[in-house]
Amino acid sequence: MANEKRPENMERITTPALAEAFIEAEIAKVRAQVGNKKVLLALSGGVDSSVVAALLIKAIGKQLICVHVNHGLMRKNESENVIEVFKNGLNANLIYVDATDRFLNLLAGVSDPESKRKIIGKEFIEVFADEARKLEGVEFLAQGTIYPDILESIKAAEGKKAVKSHHNVGGLPEDLKFSLVEPIKLLFKDEVRVVGEALGLPHAMVYRQPFPGPGLGVRCLGAITRDRLAALREADAILRDEFDKCGLAEKVWQYFVVIPDIKSVGVKDDSRYEGWPAILRAVNTKDAMTATIEPIPYDVLARITARITGEVEGINRVLYDITPKPTGTIEWE
Ligand code: XMP
């Protein structure tokens, strides 16, 4: 990642017209940089990589090769949605890799949060590198680096310690040497969204809540099992659906479900029913360094609880985490 400074006089991209001008300028720059060579991109479906993909498809079409790695820790329908938008919608050159077994086998029995993060981060790079080695004639790697990433890495270089080891693609093995294409590296997140909309990406994709690189892996607490992961995915989909329906999705910065590795005794159909608790979390923040709690109206909580306990196999209780950051971090791991 280039540690380039944003020029002080650079205008903030706040309107579709400014976004159009930015897009045109970047298209010209990318074409000049890559010529007729191929460019590789890890497309997670997050806002940043999606905007880079849409921009590069416009600039160089099929010269862009997108690789979407499904690590098995995605939310419900997330990978399908990436394929729908990019392969079917934008006719992208997209390679889909279902690496679920690779990740879940490596993670089996691993309960330490940092070890889980490291395994997921390392394996992600390996899966991506395996795909890259199969391709010929690729000289460039596109990345969804944005300006806060650059500011973050400047801070890290100054020796400020992070609470958690966040993972994003970077540090490819030695044998894979690419020149970087980073068209949105001087933009802030709000600008990336304006550019994304101008590129015609779906609103839900451009305004989606942040989702950590290790995905549901850091929300399925302790050692991940397939059954608890499946329950988490379903419960999370219900929470998101209910937030969409009542308008909270537009108001809350991040909201999700966490499932700890404990069971409690419950009752269902007059029988003992041991199940996991689903923990709901909904926070607001500006920069994720601190966070406040969004009060979810009681009727919404009751509806979500009824749906999760009624529809999701293995969950018998729903809890609501009202801890701000600090002392709780946003994610539980
Ligand atoms: P914490 O839990 O540290 O989270 O309060 C702050 C924000 O960062 C997100 N997060 C991550 N994002 N890779 C990411 O790209 C990661 O490994 C990662 N871990 C946490 C978290 O979802 C929250 O928005």
Side-chain angles (χ1 to χ4, degrees), residues 287-298:
D287 56 8
M289 301 302 287
T290 60
T292 55
I293 294 309
E294 176 66 23
I296 308 179
Y298 184 80

PDB file of all heavy atoms in Angstrom, residues 287-298:
ATOM      1  N   ASP A 287     -16.031   6.406  14.108  1.00  0.00           N
ATOM      2  CA  ASP A 287     -14.763   5.900  13.602  1.00  0.00           C
ATOM      3  C   ASP A 287     -14.420   4.515  14.137  1.00  0.00           C
ATOM      4  O   ASP A 287     -13.295   4.053  13.970  1.00  0.00           O
ATOM      5  CB  ASP A 287     -13.637   6.878  13.963  1.00  0.00           C
ATOM      6  CG  ASP A 287     -13.585   7.130  15.469  1.00  0.00           C
ATOM      7  OD1 ASP A 287     -14.307   6.430  16.210  1.00  0.00           O
ATOM      8  OD2 ASP A 287     -12.829   8.009  15.911  1.00  0.00           O
ATOM      9  N   ALA A 288     -15.360   3.854  14.799  1.00  0.00           N
ATOM     10  CA  ALA A 288     -15.184   2.510  15.372  1.00  0.00           C
ATOM     11  C   ALA A 288     -14.206   2.465  16.548  1.00  0.00           C
ATOM     12  O   ALA A 288     -13.961   1.398  17.101  1.00  0.00           O
ATOM     13  CB  ALA A 288     -14.779   1.490  14.308  1.00  0.00           C
ATOM     14  N   MET A 289     -13.665   3.622  16.946  1.00  0.00           N
ATOM     15  CA  MET A 289     -12.753   3.624  18.097  1.00  0.00           C
ATOM     16  C   MET A 289     -13.550   3.592  19.403  1.00  0.00           C
ATOM     17  O   MET A 289     -13.123   3.017  20.388  1.00  0.00           O
ATOM     18  CB  MET A 289     -11.858   4.875  18.082  1.00  0.00           C
ATOM     19  CG  MET A 289     -11.004   5.014  16.840  1.00  0.00           C
ATOM     20  SD  MET A 289      -9.929   3.602  16.594  1.00  0.00           S
ATOM     21  CE  MET A 289      -8.725   3.871  17.873  1.00  0.00           C
ATOM     22  N   THR A 290     -14.691   4.270  19.388  1.00  0.00           N
ATOM     23  CA  THR A 290     -15.629   4.178  20.510  1.00  0.00           C
ATOM     24  C   THR A 290     -16.991   3.903  19.874  1.00  0.00           C
ATOM     25  O   THR A 290     -17.173   4.131  18.674  1.00  0.00           O
ATOM     26  CB  THR A 290     -15.714   5.497  21.314  1.00  0.00           C
ATOM     27  OG1 THR A 290     -16.160   6.518  20.415  1.00  0.00           O
ATOM     28  CG2 THR A 290     -14.369   5.887  21.903  1.00  0.00           C
ATOM     29  N   ALA A 291     -17.926   3.417  20.668  1.00  0.00           N
ATOM     30  CA  ALA A 291     -19.256   3.140  20.099  1.00  0.00           C
ATOM     31  C   ALA A 291     -20.320   3.275  21.179  1.00  0.00           C
ATOM     32  O   ALA A 291     -20.070   3.015  22.357  1.00  0.00           O
ATOM     33  CB  ALA A 291     -19.289   1.738  19.496  1.00  0.00           C
ATOM     34  N   THR A 292     -21.507   3.707  20.749  1.00  0.00           N
ATOM     35  CA  THR A 292     -22.637   3.804  21.667  1.00  0.00           C
ATOM     36  C   THR A 292     -23.688   2.781  21.247  1.00  0.00           C
ATOM     37  O   THR A 292     -23.658   2.254  20.135  1.00  0.00           O
ATOM     38  CB  THR A 292     -23.264   5.213  21.624  1.00  0.00           C
ATOM     39  OG1 THR A 292     -23.600   5.489  20.253  1.00  0.00           O
ATOM     40  CG2 THR A 292     -22.306   6.269  22.132  1.00  0.00           C
ATOM     41  N   ILE A 293     -24.621   2.553  22.147  1.00  0.00           N
ATOM     42  CA  ILE A 293     -25.632   1.527  21.886  1.00  0.00           C
ATOM     43  C   ILE A 293     -26.875   2.145  21.283  1.00  0.00           C
ATOM     44  O   ILE A 293     -27.350   3.178  21.760  1.00  0.00           O
ATOM     45  CB  ILE A 293     -25.990   0.829  23.212  1.00  0.00           C
ATOM     46  CG1 ILE A 293     -24.769   0.069  23.720  1.00  0.00           C
ATOM     47  CG2 ILE A 293     -27.189  -0.105  23.064  1.00  0.00           C
ATOM     48  CD1 ILE A 293     -24.137  -0.842  22.719  1.00  0.00           C
ATOM     49  N   GLU A 294     -27.401   1.515  20.262  1.00  0.00           N
ATOM     50  CA  GLU A 294     -28.657   1.960  19.682  1.00  0.00           C
ATOM     51  C   GLU A 294     -29.789   1.276  20.453  1.00  0.00           C
ATOM     52  O   GLU A 294     -29.837   0.043  20.503  1.00  0.00           O
ATOM     53  CB  GLU A 294     -28.724   1.552  18.206  1.00  0.00           C
ATOM     54  CG  GLU A 294     -30.019   1.887  17.525  1.00  0.00           C
ATOM     55  CD  GLU A 294     -30.278   3.399  17.405  1.00  0.00           C
ATOM     56  OE1 GLU A 294     -29.296   4.177  17.451  1.00  0.00           O
ATOM     57  OE2 GLU A 294     -31.454   3.775  17.292  1.00  0.00           O
ATOM     58  N   PRO A 295     -30.666   2.067  21.080  1.00  0.00           N
ATOM     59  CA  PRO A 295     -31.767   1.413  21.778  1.00  0.00           C
ATOM     60  C   PRO A 295     -32.739   0.788  20.770  1.00  0.00           C
ATOM     61  O   PRO A 295     -33.321   1.496  19.951  1.00  0.00           O
ATOM     62  CB  PRO A 295     -32.433   2.538  22.560  1.00  0.00           C
ATOM     63  CG  PRO A 295     -31.875   3.802  22.036  1.00  0.00           C
ATOM     64  CD  PRO A 295     -30.708   3.516  21.146  1.00  0.00           C
ATOM     65  N   ILE A 296     -32.867  -0.502  20.802  1.00  0.00           N
ATOM     66  CA  ILE A 296     -33.817  -1.166  19.895  1.00  0.00           C
ATOM     67  C   ILE A 296     -35.170  -1.176  20.595  1.00  0.00           C
ATOM     68  O   ILE A 296     -35.265  -1.608  21.748  1.00  0.00           O
ATOM     69  CB  ILE A 296     -33.400  -2.625  19.592  1.00  0.00           C
ATOM     70  CG1 ILE A 296     -31.940  -2.685  19.101  1.00  0.00           C
ATOM     71  CG2 ILE A 296     -34.337  -3.247  18.556  1.00  0.00           C
ATOM     72  CD1 ILE A 296     -31.456  -4.111  18.814  1.00  0.00           C
ATOM     73  N   PRO A 297     -36.231  -0.664  19.937  1.00  0.00           N
ATOM     74  CA  PRO A 297     -37.550  -0.659  20.581  1.00  0.00           C
ATOM     75  C   PRO A 297     -37.953  -2.070  21.028  1.00  0.00           C
ATOM     76  O   PRO A 297     -37.622  -3.057  20.366  1.00  0.00           O
ATOM     77  CB  PRO A 297     -38.487  -0.142  19.486  1.00  0.00           C
ATOM     78  CG  PRO A 297     -37.588   0.584  18.533  1.00  0.00           C
ATOM     79  CD  PRO A 297     -36.262  -0.090  18.599  1.00  0.00           C
ATOM     80  N   TYR A 298     -38.667  -2.109  22.156  1.00  0.00           N
ATOM     81  CA  TYR A 298     -38.992  -3.404  22.752  1.00  0.00           C
ATOM     82  C   TYR A 298     -39.771  -4.302  21.791  1.00  0.00           C
ATOM     83  O   TYR A 298     -39.509  -5.509  21.718  1.00  0.00           O
ATOM     84  CB  TYR A 298     -39.786  -3.196  24.057  1.00  0.00           C
ATOM     85  CG  TYR A 298     -40.055  -4.504  24.734  1.00  0.00           C
ATOM     86  CD1 TYR A 298     -39.062  -5.117  25.498  1.00  0.00           C
ATOM     87  CD2 TYR A 298     -41.273  -5.162  24.567  1.00  0.00           C
ATOM     88  CE1 TYR A 298     -39.279  -6.347  26.084  1.00  0.00           C
ATOM     89  CE2 TYR A 298     -41.501  -6.390  25.152  1.00  0.00           C
ATOM     90  CZ  TYR A 298     -40.504  -6.979  25.910  1.00  0.00           C
ATOM     91  OH  TYR A 298     -40.718  -8.198  26.482  1.00  0.00           O
TER      92      TYR A 298
END
